[in-house]
Amino acid sequence: MKMTANLNRAALFGLLTLASFSSHAHSFGAGTDAFQAFVEGARVMLFEPITLFAGLSAGLMITLWRSGGMLVAWPALIVATLVGFLAATLAPEWAKMALIVVGTLTAALAAVLQSHKQAAVMLLVVLTGVLSLFVALEGHAWMELTAAIYVGLILGGQFSVVIGAALAQMLLEKFGTAAWSRIGIRVAASWLAAMQILILAFQFV
Amino acid sequence: MKTKLATQTCIAIPLLLLSSLVAAHTGEGINSGFASGFWHPILGWDHVVAMVAVGLWGAFLGAPAIWLLPVVFPLVMAIGGALGMIGVPLPAVETGIALSGVVLGLLVVFAVRAPLWVAAIIVGVFAIFHGHAHGTEFPTEFNAYGYAVGFVIGTGLMHLIGIAIGFLTRTDIGTYIVRASGAVIAAVGAAFLFGFA
């Protein structure tokens, strides 16, 4: 119960952080540059469909794999985003395509399979974390941006996954005994997979 | 009770703010792209009847098909859409779409209880045709991401409507209504197939 409450709070915090940006843009000015930079970094991760959908897909898969699985997968995700940040200058040109493919695969497996192997879940989470940072930092030289932006990027990379996992967790715990609650998450995963398949096709148009 | 209301309010307010942010961030095109994608499958009767029929047929097949088919359809349809977008030709697309209405409608009329894998293949094959048509007609002037989101949600909602109607099969009279709906779907499909619509 405590774990769910924490996840719920994390999801709400993520949403509130995003929501704060709209008022922030109108109300704040000098002296808040570091926060602006932080939000800008988080926005890149959360409002770019490619990184957002991949993160949400990973979140859904984590909760489908194991109730409360986010707490188990989170350390791997943190390490992955840090590795992605540190190695971003080495990112290949095909990182964006790779992230779409990984996101599609993650969502499709979450939708189709009834159970998941821990190794597969961890692999997909790590790939999502690393590739998300590769894509977000594409074209930027090492330490070219401010530290606050990097913090925003790394935390934004956590939020997208946490929000997906937390929403799924809330559904499972509220309607846990109903068969459709788990199926509902799988349907959502199939929708995410379909969107990412179309986004993949857009790259060739 | 108060806590529940407060929690719901806490979730609703940021979501409302978030929605305007999304529109603001992505700039011109997202709304048009989303709307275009959302309405594209809904405004074509040949698409609507087939997608609703998937939900109705799933109701006769029962669990897990009632949920599995709506999972299969968007996935395979997106693959068809991708093929259409990148220009991979598919023969007799319009015929396939019209035929899907006829076949799925008849499966509902006769309440055919096919094995799950057979049902998945039937639905999957027709989904390719529907997706290909949407992919070929993708309006390049609109925001592609918005189009993808709207397209999938619009299609998914059609399935959910079909599933909701399919729950009528829990009563005898409801079963007759659903099977009659299948006849209407088959008739609409036939009208497209033979060029009356």
Side-chain angles (χ1 to χ4, degrees):
Chain A
M1 189 60 87
K2 188 179 176 185
M3 182 175 62
T4 308
N6 287 338
L7 283 172
N8 292 349
R9 285 191 198 110
L12 283 175
F13 175 68
L15 290 170
L16 286 168
T17 303
L18 297 171
S20 68
F21 183 72
S22 58
S23 53
H24 167 76
H26 299 293
S27 308
F28 295 92
T32 57
D33 289 346
F35 184 70
Q36 275 184 335
F38 166 77
V39 174
E40 190 180 341
R43 266 181 58 204
V44 169
M45 300 301 284
L46 292 164
F47 289 141
E48 166 62 44
I50 292 171
T51 51
L52 175 64
F53 291 165
L56 291 174
S57 303
L60 294 186
M61 174 175 255
I62 287 168
T63 300
L64 284 170
W65 159 58
R66 179 188 293 182
S67 179
M70 187 67 229
L71 298 180
V72 181
W74 211 332
L77 179 65
I78 292 171
V79 171
T81 49
L82 287 173
V83 168
F85 158 64
L86 293 171
T89 52
L90 306 173
E93 288 182 3
W94 42 263
K96 189 175 176 181
M97 297 289 281
L99 180 59
I100 303 172
V101 170
V102 168
T104 304
L105 187 65
T106 305
L109 290 175
V112 173
L113 298 180
Q114 289 196 337
S115 61
H116 305 279
K117 302 277 186 202
Q118 180 169 357
V121 173
M122 289 301 172
L123 176 65
L124 290 168
V125 167
V126 166
L127 285 173
T128 301
V130 172
L131 290 170
S132 293
L133 265 292
F134 278 4
V135 170
L137 289 169
E138 184 184 16
H140 290 286
W142 172 244
M143 294 309 284
E144 177 189 356
L145 306 170
T146 64
I149 288 184
Y150 291 124
V151 173
L153 286 171
I154 291 168
L155 286 181
Q158 318 295 316
F159 285 156
S160 60
V161 180
V162 170
I163 287 169
L167 290 173
Q169 184 78 33
M170 285 165 69
L171 189 66
L172 281 183
E173 296 206 1
K174 190 159 180 71
F175 306 102
T177 54
W180 60 265
S181 58
R182 193 173 172 84
I183 299 283
I185 299 169
R186 291 172 65 186
V187 169
S190 78
W191 289 14
L192 277 171
M195 289 172 194
Q196 289 174 101
I197 289 170
L198 291 172
I199 288 172
L200 186 63
F202 293 145
Q203 311 305 313
F204 298 100
V205 175
Chain B
M1 194 63 176
K2 278 184 180 175
T3 310
K4 190 178 177 185
L5 184 64
T7 306
Q8 287 168 342
T9 308
C10 282
I11 293 173
I13 291 174
L15 282 174
L16 284 172
L17 297 169
L18 193 61
S19 62
S20 62
L21 262 179
V22 171
H25 170 74
T26 46
E28 191 177 347
I30 182 71
N31 293 319
S32 301
F34 177 86
S36 174
F38 183 80
W39 290 112
H40 206 257
I42 293 174
L43 293 179
W45 278 103
D46 47 349
H47 295 299
V48 170
V49 293
M51 287 183 286
V52 171
V54 170
L56 294 179
W57 191 33
F60 280 116
L61 292 169
I66 190 170
W67 301 113
L68 184 66
L69 297 186
V71 167
V72 168
F73 198 97
L75 277 175
V76 182
M77 193 181 68
I79 293 171
L83 294 176
M85 276 178 208
I86 60 178
V88 175
L90 186 68
V93 172
E94 293 303 324
T95 305
I97 292 170
L99 202 58
S100 70
V102 175
V103 172
L104 291 168
L106 291 175
L107 289 169
V108 173
V109 170
F110 294 107
V112 175
R113 286 177 171 78
L116 185 58
W117 66 272
V118 173
I121 288 175
I122 291 172
V123 166
V125 167
F126 286 134
I128 290 273
F129 288 106
H130 286 268
H132 194 279
H134 293 307
T136 307
E137 296 163 9
F138 162 62
T140 52
E141 68 273 22
F142 289 148
N143 181 287
Y145 298 140
Y147 182 87
V149 173
F151 175 53
V152 173
I153 290 177
T155 302
L157 289 179
M158 289 295 100
H159 289 140
L160 293 181
I161 288 171
I163 290 171
I165 299 171
F167 280 130
L168 291 172
T169 55
R170 292 177 177 186
T171 64
D172 287 343
I173 192 162
T175 303
Y176 289 122
I177 292 171
V178 170
R179 293 177 75 165
S181 304
V184 172
I185 288 168
V188 171
F192 278 96
L193 188 62
F194 296 112
F196 297 120

